[in-house]
PDB file of all heavy atoms in Angstrom:
ATOM      1  N   ARG N1248       6.595  26.050 -13.106  1.00 91.00           N
ATOM      2  CA  ARG N1248       5.837  26.670 -14.227  1.00 91.00           C
ATOM      3  C   ARG N1248       5.417  28.077 -13.818  1.00 91.00           C
ATOM      4  O   ARG N1248       5.553  29.025 -14.516  1.00 91.00           O
ATOM      5  CB  ARG N1248       4.620  25.868 -14.579  1.00 91.00           C
ATOM      6  CG  ARG N1248       4.166  25.968 -16.067  1.00 91.00           C
ATOM      7  CD  ARG N1248       3.163  24.957 -16.425  1.00 91.00           C
ATOM      8  NE  ARG N1248       1.957  25.054 -15.584  1.00 91.00           N
ATOM      9  CZ  ARG N1248       1.030  25.985 -15.790  1.00 91.00           C
ATOM     10  NH1 ARG N1248       1.139  26.899 -16.708  1.00 91.00           N
ATOM     11  NH2 ARG N1248       0.029  26.079 -15.036  1.00 91.00           N
ATOM     12  N   LEU N1249       4.901  28.142 -12.533  1.00 89.00           N
ATOM     13  CA  LEU N1249       4.407  29.451 -12.068  1.00 89.00           C
ATOM     14  C   LEU N1249       5.550  30.438 -11.991  1.00 89.00           C
ATOM     15  O   LEU N1249       5.403  31.605 -12.323  1.00 89.00           O
ATOM     16  CB  LEU N1249       3.716  29.289 -10.670  1.00 89.00           C
ATOM     17  CG  LEU N1249       2.269  28.712 -10.757  1.00 89.00           C
ATOM     18  CD1 LEU N1249       1.764  28.573  -9.317  1.00 89.00           C
ATOM     19  CD2 LEU N1249       1.385  29.640 -11.563  1.00 89.00           C
ATOM     20  N   GLN N1250       6.709  29.898 -11.418  1.00 91.00           N
ATOM     21  CA  GLN N1250       7.914  30.740 -11.239  1.00 91.00           C
ATOM     22  C   GLN N1250       8.328  31.283 -12.575  1.00 91.00           C
ATOM     23  O   GLN N1250       8.613  32.433 -12.752  1.00 91.00           O
ATOM     24  CB  GLN N1250       9.001  29.928 -10.608  1.00 91.00           C
ATOM     25  CG  GLN N1250       8.970  30.099  -9.065  1.00 91.00           C
ATOM     26  CD  GLN N1250      10.064  29.243  -8.419  1.00 91.00           C
ATOM     27  OE1 GLN N1250      10.620  28.300  -9.070  1.00 91.00           O
ATOM     28  NE2 GLN N1250      10.240  29.508  -7.114  1.00 91.00           N
ATOM     29  N   GLN N1251       8.402  30.373 -13.563  1.00 91.00           N
ATOM     30  CA  GLN N1251       8.769  30.736 -14.903  1.00 91.00           C
ATOM     31  C   GLN N1251       7.877  31.767 -15.490  1.00 91.00           C
ATOM     32  O   GLN N1251       8.335  32.739 -16.043  1.00 91.00           O
ATOM     33  CB  GLN N1251       8.739  29.547 -15.835  1.00 91.00           C
ATOM     34  CG  GLN N1251       9.735  29.616 -16.988  1.00 91.00           C
ATOM     35  CD  GLN N1251       9.583  28.395 -17.860  1.00 91.00           C
ATOM     36  OE1 GLN N1251       9.225  27.322 -17.427  1.00 91.00           O
ATOM     37  NE2 GLN N1251      10.001  28.570 -19.127  1.00 91.00           N
ATOM     38  N   LYS N1252       6.542  31.505 -15.274  1.00 91.00           N
ATOM     39  CA  LYS N1252       5.580  32.530 -15.740  1.00 91.00           C
ATOM     40  C   LYS N1252       5.810  33.868 -15.132  1.00 91.00           C
ATOM     41  O   LYS N1252       5.790  34.904 -15.809  1.00 91.00           O
ATOM     42  CB  LYS N1252       4.168  32.041 -15.400  1.00 91.00           C
ATOM     43  CG  LYS N1252       3.375  31.457 -16.552  1.00 91.00           C
ATOM     44  CD  LYS N1252       1.970  31.372 -16.155  1.00 91.00           C
ATOM     45  CE  LYS N1252       1.124  31.320 -17.382  1.00 91.00           C
ATOM     46  NZ  LYS N1252      -0.268  30.977 -17.073  1.00 91.00           N
ATOM     47  N   ARG N1253       6.196  33.874 -13.789  1.00 90.00           N
ATOM     48  CA  ARG N1253       6.319  35.168 -13.073  1.00 90.00           C
ATOM     49  C   ARG N1253       7.600  35.850 -13.634  1.00 90.00           C
ATOM     50  O   ARG N1253       7.530  36.997 -13.909  1.00 90.00           O
ATOM     51  CB  ARG N1253       6.483  34.823 -11.579  1.00 90.00           C
ATOM     52  CG  ARG N1253       6.340  36.160 -10.809  1.00 90.00           C
ATOM     53  CD  ARG N1253       6.088  35.930  -9.395  1.00 90.00           C
ATOM     54  NE  ARG N1253       7.146  35.138  -8.773  1.00 90.00           N
ATOM     55  CZ  ARG N1253       6.976  34.340  -7.773  1.00 90.00           C
ATOM     56  NH1 ARG N1253       5.797  34.210  -7.179  1.00 90.00           N
ATOM     57  NH2 ARG N1253       7.932  33.630  -7.188  1.00 90.00           N
ATOM     58  N   THR N1254       8.647  34.989 -13.926  1.00 90.00           N
ATOM     59  CA  THR N1254       9.877  35.704 -14.386  1.00 90.00           C
ATOM     60  C   THR N1254       9.572  36.269 -15.760  1.00 90.00           C
ATOM     61  O   THR N1254       9.958  37.377 -16.067  1.00 90.00           O
ATOM     62  CB  THR N1254      10.983  34.590 -14.657  1.00 90.00           C
ATOM     63  OG1 THR N1254      10.806  33.555 -13.649  1.00 90.00           O
ATOM     64  CG2 THR N1254      12.345  35.180 -14.567  1.00 90.00           C
ATOM     65  N   GLU N1255       8.793  35.460 -16.566  1.00 91.00           N
ATOM     66  CA  GLU N1255       8.426  35.951 -17.933  1.00 91.00           C
ATOM     67  C   GLU N1255       7.647  37.277 -17.812  1.00 91.00           C
ATOM     68  O   GLU N1255       7.915  38.222 -18.588  1.00 91.00           O
ATOM     69  CB  GLU N1255       7.630  34.924 -18.658  1.00 91.00           C
ATOM     70  CG  GLU N1255       8.427  33.970 -19.517  1.00 91.00           C
ATOM     71  CD  GLU N1255       7.613  32.873 -20.028  1.00 91.00           C
ATOM     72  OE1 GLU N1255       6.345  32.936 -20.185  1.00 91.00           O
ATOM     73  OE2 GLU N1255       8.187  31.781 -20.335  1.00 91.00           O
ATOM     74  N   ARG N1256       6.728  37.206 -16.907  1.00 90.00           N
ATOM     75  CA  ARG N1256       5.840  38.369 -16.676  1.00 90.00           C
ATOM     76  C   ARG N1256       6.684  39.582 -16.361  1.00 90.00           C
ATOM     77  O   ARG N1256       6.529  40.652 -16.855  1.00 90.00           O
ATOM     78  CB  ARG N1256       4.738  38.094 -15.674  1.00 90.00           C
ATOM     79  CG  ARG N1256       3.501  38.932 -15.913  1.00 90.00           C
ATOM     80  CD  ARG N1256       2.344  38.405 -15.132  1.00 90.00           C
ATOM     81  NE  ARG N1256       2.586  38.121 -13.785  1.00 90.00           N
ATOM     82  CZ  ARG N1256       2.303  36.999 -13.155  1.00 90.00           C
ATOM     83  NH1 ARG N1256       1.686  36.000 -13.837  1.00 90.00           N
ATOM     84  NH2 ARG N1256       2.536  36.796 -11.919  1.00 90.00           N
ATOM     85  N   ARG N1257       7.650  39.309 -15.354  1.00 89.00           N
ATOM     86  CA  ARG N1257       8.504  40.371 -14.925  1.00 89.00           C
ATOM     87  C   ARG N1257       9.336  40.962 -16.078  1.00 89.00           C
ATOM     88  O   ARG N1257       9.465  42.195 -16.262  1.00 89.00           O
ATOM     89  CB  ARG N1257       9.469  39.900 -13.825  1.00 89.00           C
ATOM     90  CG  ARG N1257       8.791  40.001 -12.507  1.00 89.00           C
ATOM     91  CD  ARG N1257       9.809  40.096 -11.419  1.00 89.00           C
ATOM     92  NE  ARG N1257       9.126  39.948 -10.115  1.00 89.00           N
ATOM     93  CZ  ARG N1257       9.533  39.002  -9.160  1.00 89.00           C
ATOM     94  NH1 ARG N1257      10.548  38.241  -9.406  1.00 89.00           N
ATOM     95  NH2 ARG N1257       8.899  38.931  -8.047  1.00 89.00           N
ATOM     96  N   ARG N1258       9.782  39.935 -16.851  1.00 90.00           N
ATOM     97  CA  ARG N1258      10.680  40.415 -17.950  1.00 90.00           C
ATOM     98  C   ARG N1258       9.895  41.301 -18.896  1.00 90.00           C
ATOM     99  O   ARG N1258      10.265  42.312 -19.364  1.00 90.00           O
ATOM    100  CB  ARG N1258      11.300  39.232 -18.733  1.00 90.00           C
ATOM    101  CG  ARG N1258      12.415  39.685 -19.615  1.00 90.00           C
ATOM    102  CD  ARG N1258      12.980  38.515 -20.504  1.00 90.00           C
ATOM    103  NE  ARG N1258      13.302  37.344 -19.735  1.00 90.00           N
ATOM    104  CZ  ARG N1258      12.875  36.094 -20.069  1.00 90.00           C
ATOM    105  NH1 ARG N1258      12.160  35.974 -21.110  1.00 90.00           N
ATOM    106  NH2 ARG N1258      13.202  35.121 -19.351  1.00 90.00           N
ATOM    107  N   SER N1259       8.652  40.734 -19.165  1.00 87.00           N
ATOM    108  CA  SER N1259       7.862  41.432 -20.191  1.00 87.00           C
ATOM    109  C   SER N1259       7.448  42.869 -19.658  1.00 87.00           C
ATOM    110  O   SER N1259       7.381  43.834 -20.389  1.00 87.00           O
ATOM    111  CB  SER N1259       6.615  40.645 -20.539  1.00 87.00           C
ATOM    112  OG  SER N1259       5.466  41.357 -20.327  1.00 87.00           O
ATOM    113  N   MET N1260       7.240  42.864 -18.300  1.00 84.00           N
ATOM    114  CA  MET N1260       6.900  44.179 -17.725  1.00 84.00           C
ATOM    115  C   MET N1260       8.096  45.153 -17.785  1.00 84.00           C
ATOM    116  O   MET N1260       7.914  46.364 -18.096  1.00 84.00           O
ATOM    117  CB  MET N1260       6.469  44.006 -16.283  1.00 84.00           C
ATOM    118  CG  MET N1260       4.959  43.965 -16.130  1.00 84.00           C
ATOM    119  SD  MET N1260       4.383  43.469 -14.542  1.00 84.00           S
ATOM    120  CE  MET N1260       4.715  44.951 -13.649  1.00 84.00           C
ATOM    121  N   GLU N1261       9.288  44.587 -17.576  1.00 86.00           N
ATOM    122  CA  GLU N1261      10.453  45.357 -17.595  1.00 86.00           C
ATOM    123  C   GLU N1261      10.710  45.884 -19.027  1.00 86.00           C
ATOM    124  O   GLU N1261      11.079  47.054 -19.218  1.00 86.00           O
ATOM    125  CB  GLU N1261      11.680  44.579 -17.064  1.00 86.00           C
ATOM    126  CG  GLU N1261      12.035  44.909 -15.706  1.00 86.00           C
ATOM    127  CD  GLU N1261      12.857  43.759 -14.986  1.00 86.00           C
ATOM    128  OE1 GLU N1261      13.560  43.189 -15.697  1.00 86.00           O
ATOM    129  OE2 GLU N1261      12.677  43.551 -13.809  1.00 86.00           O
ATOM    130  N   GLU N1262      10.537  44.981 -19.922  1.00 85.00           N
ATOM    131  CA  GLU N1262      10.608  45.337 -21.310  1.00 85.00           C
ATOM    132  C   GLU N1262       9.679  46.486 -21.676  1.00 85.00           C
ATOM    133  O   GLU N1262      10.087  47.471 -22.315  1.00 85.00           O
ATOM    134  CB  GLU N1262      10.389  44.161 -22.245  1.00 85.00           C
ATOM    135  CG  GLU N1262      11.631  43.341 -22.535  1.00 85.00           C
ATOM    136  CD  GLU N1262      11.309  42.011 -23.223  1.00 85.00           C
ATOM    137  OE1 GLU N1262      10.087  41.897 -23.729  1.00 85.00           O
ATOM    138  OE2 GLU N1262      12.164  41.198 -23.361  1.00 85.00           O
ATOM    139  N   LYS N1263       8.368  46.292 -21.257  1.00 79.00           N
ATOM    140  CA  LYS N1263       7.423  47.334 -21.497  1.00 79.00           C
ATOM    141  C   LYS N1263       7.840  48.665 -20.916  1.00 79.00           C
ATOM    142  O   LYS N1263       7.674  49.722 -21.482  1.00 79.00           O
ATOM    143  CB  LYS N1263       6.066  46.863 -20.953  1.00 79.00           C
ATOM    144  CG  LYS N1263       5.254  46.174 -21.952  1.00 79.00           C
ATOM    145  CD  LYS N1263       3.804  46.043 -21.559  1.00 79.00           C
ATOM    146  CE  LYS N1263       3.041  45.055 -22.441  1.00 79.00           C
ATOM    147  NZ  LYS N1263       2.143  44.206 -21.631  1.00 79.00           N
ATOM    148  N   ARG N1264       8.342  48.522 -19.654  1.00 80.00           N
ATOM    149  CA  ARG N1264       8.737  49.762 -18.902  1.00 80.00           C
ATOM    150  C   ARG N1264       9.923  50.448 -19.693  1.00 80.00           C
ATOM    151  O   ARG N1264       9.911  51.731 -19.879  1.00 80.00           O
ATOM    152  CB  ARG N1264       9.138  49.396 -17.488  1.00 80.00           C
ATOM    153  CG  ARG N1264       8.871  50.544 -16.557  1.00 80.00           C
ATOM    154  CD  ARG N1264       9.095  50.089 -15.134  1.00 80.00           C
ATOM    155  NE  ARG N1264       8.093  49.150 -14.612  1.00 80.00           N
ATOM    156  CZ  ARG N1264       8.341  48.169 -13.813  1.00 80.00           C
ATOM    157  NH1 ARG N1264       9.534  47.912 -13.354  1.00 80.00           N
ATOM    158  NH2 ARG N1264       7.372  47.338 -13.441  1.00 80.00           N
ATOM    159  N   ALA N1265      10.875  49.579 -20.117  1.00 81.00           N
ATOM    160  CA  ALA N1265      12.027  50.208 -20.869  1.00 81.00           C
ATOM    161  C   ALA N1265      11.583  50.784 -22.158  1.00 81.00           C
ATOM    162  O   ALA N1265      11.921  51.941 -22.520  1.00 81.00           O
ATOM    163  CB  ALA N1265      12.974  49.034 -21.170  1.00 81.00           C
ATOM    164  N   GLU N1266      10.625  50.099 -22.825  1.00 77.00           N
ATOM    165  CA  GLU N1266      10.070  50.515 -24.053  1.00 77.00           C
ATOM    166  C   GLU N1266       9.348  51.929 -23.902  1.00 77.00           C
ATOM    167  O   GLU N1266       9.479  52.907 -24.626  1.00 77.00           O
ATOM    168  CB  GLU N1266       9.034  49.495 -24.588  1.00 77.00           C
ATOM    169  CG  GLU N1266       8.226  49.882 -25.795  1.00 77.00           C
ATOM    170  CD  GLU N1266       9.131  49.793 -27.109  1.00 77.00           C
ATOM    171  OE1 GLU N1266      10.234  49.249 -27.050  1.00 77.00           O
ATOM    172  OE2 GLU N1266       8.674  50.366 -28.048  1.00 77.00           O
ATOM    173  N   ARG N1267       8.604  51.927 -22.755  1.00 72.00           N
ATOM    174  CA  ARG N1267       7.875  53.146 -22.411  1.00 72.00           C
ATOM    175  C   ARG N1267       8.825  54.335 -22.086  1.00 72.00           C
ATOM    176  O   ARG N1267       8.605  55.429 -22.616  1.00 72.00           O
ATOM    177  CB  ARG N1267       7.001  52.860 -21.220  1.00 72.00           C
ATOM    178  CG  ARG N1267       6.019  53.938 -20.949  1.00 72.00           C
ATOM    179  CD  ARG N1267       5.088  53.446 -19.787  1.00 72.00           C
ATOM    180  NE  ARG N1267       4.117  54.450 -19.404  1.00 72.00           N
ATOM    181  CZ  ARG N1267       4.331  55.526 -18.724  1.00 72.00           C
ATOM    182  NH1 ARG N1267       5.560  55.679 -18.135  1.00 72.00           N
ATOM    183  NH2 ARG N1267       3.397  56.453 -18.407  1.00 72.00           N
TER     184      ARG N1267
END
Side-chain angles (χ1 to χ4, degrees):
R1248 210 169 57 77
L1249 285 176
Q1250 269 174 344
Q1251 204 182 336
K1252 256 193 159 171
R1253 195 162 58 208
T1254 330
E1255 269 170 22
R1256 207 164 47 230
R1257 274 205 190 126
R1258 191 184 314 128
S1259 124
M1260 265 169 75
E1261 262 157 32
E1262 273 170 11
K1263 269 194 192 140
R1264 211 171 288 144
E1266 175 73 14
R1267 191 175 180 279

